[in-house]
Amino acid sequence: MAKAHQLAQAHFQTAVAEAALGEVELARGRLDAVTALRGYDLLAMARTAAAFVDSLTLVTGNEWVTGKPLAKAMEQTESLDERVPPERALTLRLMSAWSSKDPASFDALFTAAAGDPGAADHVRDLFVFALEWARDKAASASNPQSLVHAVCTALKEHGPSMWPWKRPPE
């Protein structure tokens, strides 16, 4: 009886908990429910993933795509596309836009990737990246419950919450 966006939110929360406990492959399997969404629902879940990762780190703006503070980034000669796989390059660009408080750029980048039938791995990688952060944060002594709380907070602020969660009348 649950709607697709409701299942996706529950699966993403569970995936974060599983990743925090080291069950990354099991967690990745849950991402199918998230990446099956379309339109606003998928974009809202992407915003949720970006907000979740952003809440776990102090890295901001250009540091995501260069790996260095802005002053040192100007000296870098190797491009992002040469250093990482294409799907991770998109994810880092998305995180750069999100952490720079540039939601219009984030939305445009993500929507373009989501609209490309050949870019399914690119779209999925943002969610995989969030799971990797959850695993790494939990490994450094973070409580898995605090990570689930962080993803719930991100869902409340950015997720597809305009639809009711109440059961339809029978």
Side-chain angles (χ1 to χ4, degrees):
M1 295 180 64
K3 298 193 187 252
H5 75 88
Q6 294 169 326
L7 286 172
Q9 291 179 59
H11 277 287
F12 191 57
Q13 292 170 21
T14 305
V16 166
E18 288 170 340
L21 295 170
E23 298 290 341
V24 177
E25 289 309 311
L26 185 61
R28 283 182 183 211
R30 294 186 182 277
L31 294 181
D32 292 342
V34 177
T35 57
L37 295 173
R38 297 288 169 248
Y40 171 78
D41 292 338
L42 182 59
L43 178 60
M45 290 302 293
R47 290 175 183 163
T48 297
F52 170 67
V53 172
D54 196 42
S55 72
L56 301 178
T57 182
L58 298 176
V59 177
T60 58
N62 199 44
E63 293 173 335
W64 279 108
V65 293
T66 63
K68 301 174 183 175
L70 187 58
K72 291 186 180 185
M74 302 309 259
E75 303 166 7
Q76 189 163 329
T77 58
E78 188 179 29
S79 78
L80 177 64
D81 296 311
E82 294 170 344
R83 290 184 287 121
V84 297
E87 61 272 8
R88 188 50 51 100
L90 173 67
T91 297
L92 295 175
R93 285 184 176 105
L94 286 167
M95 288 309 305
S96 177
W98 185 265
S99 68
S100 296
K101 310 289 187 244
D102 187 0
S105 292
F106 179 90
D107 291 357
L109 281 167
F110 189 81
T111 302
D116 180 356
D121 288 341
H122 294 62
V123 169
R124 185 182 183 89
D125 189 66
L126 176 63
F127 301 102
V128 170
F129 191 66
L131 298 181
E132 290 170 358
W133 271 91
R135 179 199 60 215
D136 294 345
K137 277 302 198 186
S140 65
S142 288
N143 182 341
Q145 290 175 330
S146 65
L147 296 172
V148 172
H149 177 72
V151 82
C152 289
T153 300
L155 277 165
K156 191 161 96 175
E157 292 177 21
H158 304 285
S161 60
M162 59 192 255
W163 293 276
W165 274 84
K166 296 179 183 171
R167 285 183 170 250
E170 294 185 32

